[in-house]
Structures are given as structure tokens and as C-alpha cells.
Amino acid sequence: VGQMLARLLVLEARESVLADPHSERRAQAAAQGAVAVEELEPGAFSLVLEAVGRPETWAAAVRAAAPGGTVVLVGGCPAAEAPLPAAPLHYDEVDVLGAFHHDRAEVDRALDLLATGTVDWQALAGPAIALDELGEALRRRSAAARKLIVDPRR
């Protein structure tokens, strides 16, 4: 989701900064035209789109927002609670919005961008694996930066 958001912003001629600790994902983002950094500078961004969905990345997104800025939590967080830093919310008047990932029109647009090659899905994809290889691939997933492609015909 984060890579796609970054690419869509680039296609709209907007500055897009993608933060990721993984060097391969940063390279993917840079190849798609985004600025790629290991972590976001606190208080630097008027708009932050958080796409990971972990309590620590939600908090980092709030810290990265500039005074008066907005954080949109796109990445669904499975944790029951996610503590956020209070100072930016109160003193800097940072707004935090939740967002379900998509609606039908957005899915149609994304599919069109992928089908026409405007967004290169292969740049984000790893090699295809068989369905019976999925369990092992998920166990070693922390080392992989690319999306898994499962081909049940293999």
C-alpha cells in the first residue's frame, strides 16, 4: 500500500517521501520517483499517510507531522490499542484521520494503472512461489522486501 501511495503521489506531480528501514524497499520507492528515507524527520510534513499499520508506525507518523498537519492512518492496525504522542496532537494541533483503504472507484483506478503499466507491479513483486511454499515464505518474510506472488498452478 505504501509503495502504491508513493507512486500515485508522484504521478500527480506531488512530492512523495517514503520511509522504510529496509534498503530494498527504499530503492523500489526511489525507482518509482519518490524520495526514500530510513525514517521521517519529526515535525516536517503537512500530510503523512501511514500505510504499515503498527502502533509504532502510527506514533512515528504523528511525530512526523508538522504543526497543523494531518496524519491519515491508511494501514489498518490489528492491535487493540495504539498509544500516540500527546504533545503533537494537543500543542501542535495535528489532526489524525482513519481511512479504510479504498472504495470501488479507487480499486478500478488502481487496476487500470497496473494494467496500463503506469505503475509497474513487477518492480514490487518477487518471484512466483507454489502454494505449498507459502508457509515457509511467510516464516522468512522479514528478510524479503518484495510482495509474494503465489501461483497455485506450480
Side-chain angles (χ1 to χ4, degrees):
V1 174
Q3 294 278 352
M4 180 64 101
L5 286 172
R7 181 62 181 149
L8 293 176
L9 289 168
V10 168
L11 290 172
E12 295 290 327
R14 299 182 187 266
E15 181 182 16
S16 177
V17 178
L18 183 133
D20 196 302
H22 200 290
S23 62
E24 187 176 358
R25 284 192 291 261
R26 288 195 308 272
Q28 290 168 350
Q32 296 282 339
V35 174
V37 298
E38 194 164 340
E39 59 184 53
L40 297 175
E41 180 183 336
F45 301 94
S46 59
L47 176 63
V48 180
L49 302 173
E50 193 289 330
V52 177
R54 293 187 188 138
E56 64 272 18
T57 58
W58 279 21
V62 170
R63 284 191 294 276
T70 300
V71 175
V72 182
L73 303 173
V74 179
C77 187
E81 294 185 17
L84 300 176
L89 299 174
H90 181 75
Y91 296 110
D92 294 337
E93 298 182 344
V94 169
D95 291 326
V96 178
L97 304 172
F100 185 65
H101 304 187
H102 55 272
D103 63 23
R104 186 70 218 164
E106 291 165 333
V107 170
D108 289 344
R109 180 170 180 230
L111 291 173
D112 181 60
L113 292 169
L114 293 168
T116 61
T118 303
V119 173
D120 180 13
W121 67 269
Q122 292 175 333
L124 307 175
I129 62 171
L131 186 57
D132 63 354
E133 298 172 303
L134 181 58
E136 177 58 29
L138 290 172
R139 280 189 286 283
R140 60 182 155 79
R141 178 108 171 113
S142 63
R146 299 186 179 268
K147 299 297 180 188
L148 297 173
I149 305 298
V150 180
D151 184 349
R153 300 168 295 181
R154 294 183 82 188

